[in-house]
Amino acid sequence: MDPTHLARLPILPFLDPRLIHAPGMLPLDPADWLLRDAAFEAQMALRDSLVAQDRATVFAQLPEGEAASAELLETVLTAIRSDPAYGPSGRHVTRPDGLMVDLDADAALATLGRLVQEDFLVLEKDPGADEHRLTGGILCFPSRWSLAEKMARGLVGIHAPVPFYATSLAPRVQRFFDVIRPERPLWRANWVLHTYPELFQPSRTLRHSRDFTRGEIWLRVERQALRRLPRTGAVIFSIKTDIAHLDSLAPDEGARLAAEIAALPEPEFSYKGGVPLRDRLMARFGAGVTAARQPSVQ
């Protein structure tokens, strides 16, 4: 098994009725904001390499977002100081894998990318604006998109490739961004199936097509959190990404996944993988999917 992957995913959103329907936001205990799992060492080594060698792809910062990014670094440092596996010492932090990170050697977001497994997007709302826009990000594990495509865009523009976002999700998501309070973070989980296992999937270097008629299938789950920073008021969107092979699912879990795919309305059904994916899942787990509802349009 690739050490950047997990043998078993900690969250299976399609099994939880609270998470199935977007946006599916739930309250988050601030103490559970950042997670560390068995893939930490391998994922952090990959993140170190990406920050050093593919910096322009994984890191971006607008000047107007620098204050919020600095506040975010302070907030993360406060959080990891409660984790005895980290060893803060002055302006250095020793990670659980033993690597020491100099807190003054790089920009705040680039430094964050080397401290924890999460990616971070900084979104701020200009006075009089209708929506938040992206002013900074560290994104080592994108799923078919890149920061260069999204920087300075508002939430609707960021989600333009998602065909159902503007019509059904945009007002609700913006509402969450507007009302979230610093002491009351939120979380949700997003899931997608791929035919390739890489965590680093920026669209500009995409080497694979999503051909679900053949090959392996991988389940990718993103645990996404929203948190407002008290001083700058920026909203932080953090993403903890894990990948496991489809075989990591028990038969009943796979059957539930197949049923959920089959039941999706258009255009979400096609966005997730459409008929080829549904047919592969039905062939693999179909014995337990007798009650699956078919999409309204195929």
Side-chain angles (χ1 to χ4, degrees):
M1 184 182 76
D2 186 323
T4 65
H5 300 164
L6 294 178
R8 170 83 180 171
L9 294 173
I11 303 171
L12 297 176
F14 49 86
L15 298 183
D16 189 334
R18 304 171 304 166
L19 299 172
I20 289 174
H21 302 293
M25 292 288 188
L26 299 173
L28 174 66
D29 184 337
D32 297 329
W33 177 37
L34 304 176
L35 301 177
R36 180 165 51 86
D37 58 32
F40 180 89
E41 183 173 351
Q43 286 195 6
M44 295 311 298
L46 176 57
R47 296 176 72 85
D48 290 340
S49 174
L50 291 168
V51 171
Q53 300 176 18
D54 217 326
R55 182 184 179 86
T57 303
V58 303
F59 165 72
Q61 178 71 74
L62 299 182
E64 59 266 39
E66 290 179 354
S69 296
E71 185 182 8
L72 173 59
L73 176 57
E74 294 174 14
T75 305
V76 170
L77 288 173
T78 298
I80 65 176
R81 286 187 180 112
S82 65
D83 184 344
Y86 281 87
S89 176
R91 296 302 296 169
H92 294 80
V93 170
T94 302
R95 295 189 322 216
D97 61 358
L99 189 141
M100 181 177 288
V101 178
D102 183 345
L103 300 179
D104 298 318
D106 209 335
L109 289 176
T111 300
L112 274 174
R114 303 186 57 230
L115 289 176
V116 295
Q117 288 175 269
E118 281 81 2
D119 286 318
F120 297 94
L121 304 177
V122 180
L123 297 111
E124 301 180 78
K125 192 175 185 181
D126 297 326
D130 293 330
E131 61 178 352
H132 287 70
R133 67 188 185 98
L134 183 62
T135 62
I138 180 71
L139 184 70
C140 294
F141 300 155
S143 180
R144 298 169 63 91
W145 66 282
S146 69
L147 284 172
E149 302 168 354
K150 312 295 185 181
M151 285 302 297
R153 290 191 180 188
L155 288 171
V156 173
I158 290 171
H159 292 91
V162 182
F164 47 88
Y165 180 84
T167 56
S168 63
L169 291 178
R172 285 182 287 166
V173 172
Q174 184 58 56
R175 172 72 175 160
F176 283 117
F177 273 72
D178 287 338
V179 304
I180 191 170
R181 294 154 54 186
E183 69 276 15
R184 298 273 184 91
L186 301 168
W187 77 281
R188 67 180 299 270
N190 185 52
W191 58 274
V192 65
L193 292 159
H194 283 310
T195 53
Y196 37 91
E198 292 91 345
L199 283 161
F200 179 56
Q201 297 179 21
S203 54
R204 75 173 181 83
T205 58
L206 193 63
R207 300 185 301 276
H208 309 281
S209 62
R210 293 175 75 207
D211 182 0
F212 287 111
T213 64
R214 57 188 176 84
E216 302 290 309
I217 297 180
W218 303 84
L219 177 60
R220 177 185 180 115
V221 171
E222 296 178 352
R223 193 249 208 180
Q224 304 169 345
L226 285 181
R227 181 168 187 169
R228 185 182 298 282
L229 299 177
R231 189 167 68 242
T232 60
V235 176
I236 304 305
F237 186 79
S238 62
I239 311 165
K240 171 68 171 63
T241 303
D242 285 307
I243 291 180
H245 195 276
L246 187 67
D247 288 345
S248 66
L249 298 180
D252 60 323
E253 295 167 341
R256 180 70 176 273
L257 173 62
E260 291 299 330
I261 286 284
L264 289 173
E266 285 285 357
E268 191 173 357
F269 173 70
S270 294
Y271 183 74
K272 289 284 191 182
V275 172
L277 175 58
R278 183 203 63 193
D279 290 351
R280 281 286 301 279
L281 293 177
M282 289 296 187
R284 173 72 170 80
F285 301 109
V289 199
T290 55
R293 162 172 76 84
Q294 297 302 305
S296 55
V297 179
Q298 297 184 15

